[in-house]
């Protein structure tokens, strides 16, 4: 199975002189496949797919993050009892903070880093380049999205903290994809390596009709991500961004957040991170936000070259 055998056509035909020639397949267009599919609603997906639950500690952190009565000090007390979370925070701050000073980060930042680490436990630990790249992209996307949002937070009424969460979780559908549909996911990863200039959203469409993912893939990892995050009761804007982050036509309530995540992925693609669309910054994303390409590039230029060790954070989440 790992060897290629080469022979002349006449020799091949001689070896198959008694073989029957039959027609047993016919080509179908993607349009025909889609037209003949019945896409299940989210309720049936939740029932049939056994989506992973949010780990208890992540649920507790999420509950704290939406309750204004709690302080960063109380959250820091929770983090101080979890060795992996401590490690992540120390990596993020490059050990500039001691455990008793974690609350200096502020409630939003501390809760979001801790929530991301805790939520990762919903999926089995796996070592490998694909998983490391996923977490590397997630941490960078969170930081880029937060920084870009800070530029327009006041005039557009946006919350940088929500952009951080949206950036961190917007691709979680890929984690779910890898867990529920392993053969299809392995095939997708091979296609990504063979077609590095093609967006994963485009490659997913080629998986139509394959295996257990037959009725799921039309929505791709974006749809899976939305289902998962709603199952976890994440903030509405985070769920919407997960579903729409590949859509350039979304014009709903959270369009500004969606555009910021799309800009984030384009910037990261230029830096060789992730699978965002190629071709530079899309001007159509900039105009509604009142930004220029140079301004967003300047705002994030010190993140990748700065002291924040996202690579180490990613590696620590892929090892037991």
């Amino acid at each position: 199975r790992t060897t290629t055998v080469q022979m002349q056509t006449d020799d091949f035909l001689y070896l198959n002189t008694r073989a029957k020639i039959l027609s047993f397949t016919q080509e179908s267009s993607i349009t025909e496949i889609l037209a003949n599919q019945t896409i299940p609603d989210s309720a049936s997906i939740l029932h049939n797919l056994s989506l992973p639950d949010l780990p208890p500690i992540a649920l507790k952190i999420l509950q704290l993050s939406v309750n204004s009565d709690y302080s960063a000090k109380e959250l820091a007390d929770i983090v101080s009892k979890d060795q992996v979370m401590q490690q992540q925070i120390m990596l993020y701050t490059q050990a500039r903070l001691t455990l008793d000073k974690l609350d200096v980060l502020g409630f939003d930042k501390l809760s979001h880093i801790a929530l991301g680490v805790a939520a990762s436990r919903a999926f089995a630990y796996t070592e490998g380049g694909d998983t490391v790249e996923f977490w590397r992209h997630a941490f960078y996307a969170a930081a880029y999205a937060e920084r870009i949002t800070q530029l327009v937070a006041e005039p557009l009424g946006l919350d940088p903290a929500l952009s951080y969460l949206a950036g961190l979780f917007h691709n979680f559908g890929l984690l779910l994809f890898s867990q529920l549909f392993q053969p299809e996911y392995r095939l997708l990863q091979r296609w990504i390596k063979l077609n590095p200039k093609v967006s994963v959203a485009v490659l997913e469409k080629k998986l139509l009709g394959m295996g257990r993912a037959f009725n799921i893939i039309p929505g791709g990892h974006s749809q899976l991500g939305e289902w998962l995050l709603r199952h976890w009761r994440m903030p509405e804007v985070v769920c919407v961004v997960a579903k729409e982050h590949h859509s350039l036509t979304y014009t709903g309530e959270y369009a500004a957040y969606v555009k910021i995540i799309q800009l984030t992925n384009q910037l990261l693609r230029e830096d060789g991170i992730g699978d965002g669309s190629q071709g530079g910054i899309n001007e159509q994303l900039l105009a509604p936000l009142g930004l220029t390409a140079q301004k967003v590039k300047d705002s994030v230029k010190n993140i990748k070259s700065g002291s924040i060790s996202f690579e180490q954070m990613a590696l620590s989440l892929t090892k037991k």
Side-chain angles (χ1 to χ4, degrees):
R1 65 182 179 84
T2 60
T3 304
T4 300
V5 178
Q6 182 176 351
M7 64 180 68
Q8 295 296 321
T9 302
D10 289 345
D11 294 332
F12 178 79
L13 293 175
Y14 173 76
L15 292 174
N16 289 278
T17 52
R18 300 181 64 182
K20 294 181 179 180
I21 300 175
L22 302 172
S23 176
F24 59 93
T25 63
Q26 62 181 16
E27 183 177 357
S28 295
S29 69
I30 286 180
T31 302
E32 291 173 332
I33 294 174
L34 281 171
N36 292 326
Q37 288 195 74
T38 301
I39 308 301
D41 58 28
S42 58
S44 62
I45 293 295
L46 295 178
H47 177 73
N48 294 324
L49 291 187
S50 299
L51 299 183
D53 291 325
L54 197 61
I57 190 171
L59 183 60
K60 188 172 184 179
I61 294 169
L62 182 60
Q63 290 169 341
L64 287 177
S65 69
V66 297
N67 191 329
S68 59
D69 293 335
Y70 289 93
S71 67
K73 178 64 170 65
E74 291 168 303
L75 180 60
D77 289 340
I78 296 176
V79 173
S80 65
K81 298 174 184 176
D82 189 295
Q83 187 175 0
V84 176
M85 284 187 188
Q86 291 176 28
Q87 182 184 25
Q88 291 293 305
I89 301 296
M90 294 301 103
L91 286 171
Y92 185 87
T93 64
Q94 289 292 281
R96 289 194 298 270
L97 295 179
T98 57
L99 289 179
D100 60 334
K101 298 293 184 182
L102 287 179
D103 57 302
V104 174
L105 278 175
F107 188 87
D108 286 340
K109 180 69 67 172
L110 184 57
S111 67
H112 294 160
I113 297 173
L115 182 58
V117 175
S120 71
R121 296 172 188 173
F123 303 93
Y125 279 98
T126 54
E127 297 190 31
D130 294 339
T131 309
V132 172
E133 283 302 308
F134 173 87
W135 286 111
R136 179 171 175 252
H137 177 266
F139 287 127
Y140 272 113
Y144 273 44
E146 180 184 45
R147 188 68 57 83
I148 294 171
T149 305
Q150 289 170 349
L151 299 175
V152 295
E154 186 173 345
L156 297 183
L158 303 181
D159 185 349
L162 285 176
S163 284
Y164 184 97
L165 268 186
L168 188 65
F169 285 105
H170 76 281
N171 262 339
F172 258 51
L174 282 174
L175 285 182
L176 184 59
F177 193 165
S178 68
Q179 179 171 296
L180 296 179
F181 309 112
Q182 293 182 9
E184 293 91 338
Y185 182 77
R186 287 195 293 268
L187 179 58
L188 177 63
Q189 291 303 307
R190 288 199 293 272
W191 285 353
I192 290 173
K193 288 182 173 64
L194 291 171
N195 302 276
K197 296 183 179 180
V198 182
S199 168
V200 64
V202 174
L203 294 176
E204 283 177 327
K205 301 299 182 185
K206 297 181 181 295
L207 289 171
L208 284 168
M210 292 188 178
R212 289 186 61 235
F214 181 80
N215 285 324
I216 308 301
I217 300 305
H221 72 278
S222 300
Q223 182 66 78
L224 284 173
E226 185 207 16
W227 282 327
L228 176 66
L229 297 178
R230 289 196 185 282
H231 180 58
W232 286 355
R233 293 180 172 83
M234 287 288 176
E236 179 68 12
V237 59
V238 179
C239 299
V240 172
V241 168
K243 181 181 180 181
E244 303 292 347
H245 70 274
H246 283 292
S247 172
L248 294 176
T249 59
Y250 173 73
T251 58
E253 179 180 357
Y254 303 109
Y257 287 101
V258 171
K259 288 179 172 59
I260 287 170
I261 297 301
Q262 290 169 343
L263 280 173
T264 290
N265 284 327
Q266 290 177 3
L267 288 166
L268 287 173
R269 183 62 179 264
E270 288 189 348
D271 289 334
I273 300 171
D275 66 336
S277 59
Q278 288 198 326
I281 302 299
N282 187 334
E283 295 293 334
Q284 293 179 347
L285 299 176
L286 294 168
L289 299 172
L291 294 172
T292 63
Q294 192 58 50
K295 191 170 184 177
V296 294
K297 288 180 179 180
D298 288 344
S299 72
V300 301
K301 66 182 179 182
N302 68 331
I303 292 178
K304 189 169 187 294
S305 59
S307 60
I308 301 175
S309 184
F310 294 126
E311 283 81 4
Q312 287 179 290
M313 292 171 70
L315 282 169
S316 72
L317 286 183
T318 59
K319 296 180 180 179
K320 292 184 179 181

